[in-house]
Amino acid sequence: MMLPVVIDLAGRPVTVVGAGTVGARKVAQLLEVGAVVTVIAETVRRPLPSGVALLRRRRYQSGDLAGAFLVVAATGDHDVDDAIVAEAAARGQLLNVVDDATRSSFYFTALHRDGDVVVSVSTSGSSPALASWIRDRIAASLPSGLGVVAQRLSTARAAYHAAGVSTESLAWRDWIDAWVDDAQWVVRGPSLDDRHHDEGPRAGAPATTTGPGESSAVV
């Protein structure tokens, strides 16, 4: 069983072996989050995204994974993948073998992003298509502007922490509801239904206590 985690790859060295359709897609995902990507591929079947730090146009060789924090094997060659798996294991590196969940120590997930809000869906490598299907339906059900809400909550939390106030007992959920509605108003623009919008809590801050029988959520 896998434990979902979020990894900061900004500035970290990543090696991708193979540059076919899937390999190029993985390279694009890694570059998007700021990884320093080296690609090793004898044949580049499609243009790689700009930003690749190093492209070695040759077959994988033992020792190619030296210094990599994370490795992606996208060769489609079982024997080559075997060698990559062995080297990555010896070096203690995180490894994704494309289309081979049993030999992978991590998986890429189907992502939906809205600013700092990230929804990640995985089927533990069983079916990327199903993960994408679930991701799309979750994304369609979410309100717009959640990234804006996350930024407002971050600012509010920082202000409380700077004042030496614990955020553990704050009644965040009522304010999240209000701020989500507020963010949608900002994204879509005002309408006749929003005539009393300015009476809402846009300029407010979360209450510091919850009422009797109310639950609180920690952000």
Side-chain angles (χ1 to χ4, degrees), residues 3 6 9 12 18-19 23 26 53 63-66 81 94 98 116 121 133 136 145 147 149 153 158 185 198 208 218:
L3 174 67
V6 178
L9 291 179
R12 289 185 179 272
K26 302 304 184 188
D64 277 344
L65 307 186
D81 286 347
L94 293 170
V98 171
D116 288 340
V121 179
W133 185 91
D136 290 344
V149 174
L153 290 167
W185 183 86
D198 287 335
T208 56
V218 178

Side-chain angles (χ1 to χ4, degrees), residues 191-208:
S191 69
L192 291 177
D193 293 333
D194 296 314
R195 283 171 291 182
H196 301 294
H197 176 77
D198 287 335
E199 298 173 7
R202 282 190 296 159
T208 56

Side-chain angles (χ1 to χ4, degrees), residues 2-213:
M2 293 286 195
L3 174 67
V5 297
V6 178
I7 300 177
D8 182 5
L9 291 179
R12 289 185 179 272
V14 176
T15 297
V16 178
V17 186
T21 300
V22 177
R25 186 164 65 244
K26 302 304 184 188
V27 169
Q29 289 178 279
L30 292 163
L31 289 173
E32 183 181 357
V33 296
V36 180
V37 181
T38 293
V39 177
I40 301 170
E42 189 173 17
T43 302
V44 179
R45 296 186 177 87
R46 57 179 297 178
L48 293 173
S50 61
V52 171
L54 177 63
L55 172 60
R56 293 175 173 166
R57 288 181 175 269
R58 58 168 174 76
R59 289 177 61 84
Y60 160 81
Q61 298 174 1
S62 178
D64 277 344
L65 307 186
F69 172 75
L70 182 148
V71 178
V72 177
T75 69
D77 185 316
H78 195 275
D79 292 337
V80 174
D81 286 347
D82 279 346
I84 295 171
V85 168
E87 182 175 349
R91 295 182 182 277
Q93 294 163 316
L94 293 170
L95 171 67
N96 174 254
V97 182
V98 171
D99 291 332
D100 194 341
T102 62
R103 296 195 292 173
S104 298
S105 58
F106 81 93
Y107 311 126
F108 286 85
T109 63
L111 296 177
H112 166 70
R113 295 182 185 273
D114 184 345
D116 288 340
V117 176
V118 180
V119 176
S120 175
V121 179
S122 172
T123 58
S124 298
S126 297
S127 174
L130 177 59
S132 296
W133 185 91
I134 296 170
R135 182 270 319 276
D136 290 344
R137 275 146 187 80
I138 292 174
S141 71
L142 293 174
S144 57
L146 290 180
V148 175
V149 174
Q151 285 298 313
R152 294 185 69 181
L153 290 167
S154 177
T155 299
R157 291 182 71 213
Y160 277 113
H161 292 160
V165 178
S166 172
T167 59
E168 294 295 316
S169 61
L170 300 183
W172 290 102
R173 287 194 177 183
D174 290 343
W175 290 88
I176 290 173
D177 287 339
W179 286 353
V180 165
D181 180 67
D182 190 52
Q184 292 182 84
W185 183 86
V186 171
V187 169
R188 74 173 189 270
S191 69
L192 291 177
D193 293 333
D194 296 314
R195 283 171 291 182
H196 301 294
H197 176 77
D198 287 335
E199 298 173 7
R202 282 190 296 159
T208 56
T209 60
T210 56

